[in-house]
């Protein structure tokens, strides 16, 4: 018996890619694809806002204030020296305090968030000479019943 020769190897560059090895019969026929003219162009779609007519738009409902903010509260004697003693909603009390601050020019010129307290406001702010506008609401709420 004669010895068999090993099969000669082909160089790596001569190999075909895996996709090219598929037989031609495995590919889908061109007739199975949808024609390009049957697709709707993207520009033909209407935007979502254009679907509803403008006349059918409901008017915006008027916002009702939160009952907790509109409940009249009584200021303490120290706060009453600044805004008055009549019971008022929290929103009105805040407005009155800002009116007082602007009238007496107590807002800091450089940092507008800071309030420089005079003698009346110093009592409300717990003896602090300067407070931020955000801290002010916290300090004022301690003087409301």
């Amino acid at each position: 018996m004669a010895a068999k020769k090993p099969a000669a190897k082909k160089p790596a560059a001569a190999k075909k890619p895996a996709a090219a090895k598929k037989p031609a019969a495995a590919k889908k026929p061109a007739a199975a694809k949808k024609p390009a003219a049957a697709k709707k162009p993207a520009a033909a779609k209407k935007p979502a806002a254009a679907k509803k007519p403008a006349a059918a738009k409901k008017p915006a409902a008027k916002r009702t204030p939160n009952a907790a903010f509109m409940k009249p509260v009584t200021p303490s004697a120290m706060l009453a020296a600044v805004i008055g003693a009549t019971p008022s909603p929290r929103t009105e009390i805040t407005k009155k305090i800002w009116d007082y601050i602007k009238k007496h020019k107590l807002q800091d010129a450089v940092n507008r968030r800071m309030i420089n307290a005079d003698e009346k406001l110093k009592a409300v702010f717990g003896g602090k000479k300067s407070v931020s506008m955000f801290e002010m609401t916290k300090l004022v709420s301690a003087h409301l019943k």
Side-chain angles (χ1 to χ4, degrees), residues 9-17:
K9 291 185 178 180
K10 294 182 182 179
K15 286 188 178 181
K16 294 182 180 178

Side-chain angles (χ1 to χ4, degrees), residues 18-41:
K21 289 184 179 181
K22 290 184 180 179
K27 293 183 179 178
K28 290 184 180 180
K33 292 182 180 178
K34 291 183 180 179
K39 291 183 180 179
K40 290 184 180 180

Side-chain angles (χ1 to χ4, degrees), residues 101 105-116 130-131:
I101 290 168
K105 297 178 181 163
L106 299 176
Q107 201 169 4
D108 191 62
V110 177
N111 186 357
R112 306 283 292 168
R113 293 184 208 162
M114 298 303 288
I115 311 300
N116 299 322
S130 181
V131 296

